[in-house]
Amino acid sequence: RWPAGSKEATAASFSGDGSKLAVASKDFLIRVFSADGEPLGVCSGHTSVVTHLDWDLAGRWVQSNDMSYELLFWDLSDAAADGGGDRKFRKARPADVQPVSWATMTCRLAWGVLGAYDKGMAGSAVNGVDRDAGR
């Protein structure tokens, strides 16, 4: 069982090598676990329900979208204790992930899917995306 906190899970994704699992829930958090279920840390910073998650090829970075159309990036290489018993992963800047190659591309709002939206389209006009792994 992969606990999603006090709210139901809204997105989940294994890292490319299968060693980690990221689980988003309606409490605006992303919890990261080892493949055997050990909690590794929490990504905290979204202002709405997280809807999509993507991993980079190395399993270090996660990008995520939420219902308010935020695109956030997370550095999973290090987690710091938050004083409440949780370990928190650092929110990254877009420049930090510019050279990153993504293993998946399901976030509806991300640099890799810029062409999915035409000028003036509502964010809800695109419900899902994916891209060819070779591009």
Side-chain angles (χ1 to χ4, degrees), residues 5-98:
S6 62
K7 304 285 184 174
E8 66 188 63
T10 56
S13 180
F14 277 99
S15 59
D17 66 0
S19 67
K20 298 181 200 96
L21 174 68
V23 180
S25 61
K26 287 188 173 181
D27 60 5
F28 309 170
L29 299 175
I30 301 167
R31 291 170 177 80
V32 182
F33 302 91
S34 67
D36 63 3
E38 177 187 344
L40 299 177
V42 175
C43 303
S44 173
H46 276 286
T47 59
S48 184
V49 174
V50 179
T51 57
H52 299 84
L53 304 166
D54 290 310
W55 288 89
D56 76 312
L57 291 171
R60 173 182 174 177
W61 303 96
V62 167
Q63 67 178 0
S64 53
N65 287 158
D66 68 21
M67 291 182 76
S68 66
Y69 306 114
E70 286 182 307
L71 170 61
L72 297 181
F73 303 99
W74 308 96
D75 182 355
L76 303 188
S77 65
D78 188 33
D82 70 354
D86 284 330
R87 295 175 46 81
K88 285 197 173 180
F89 291 111
R90 179 179 69 86
K91 190 169 19 172
R93 300 171 302 134
D96 295 337
V97 296
Q98 190 174 27

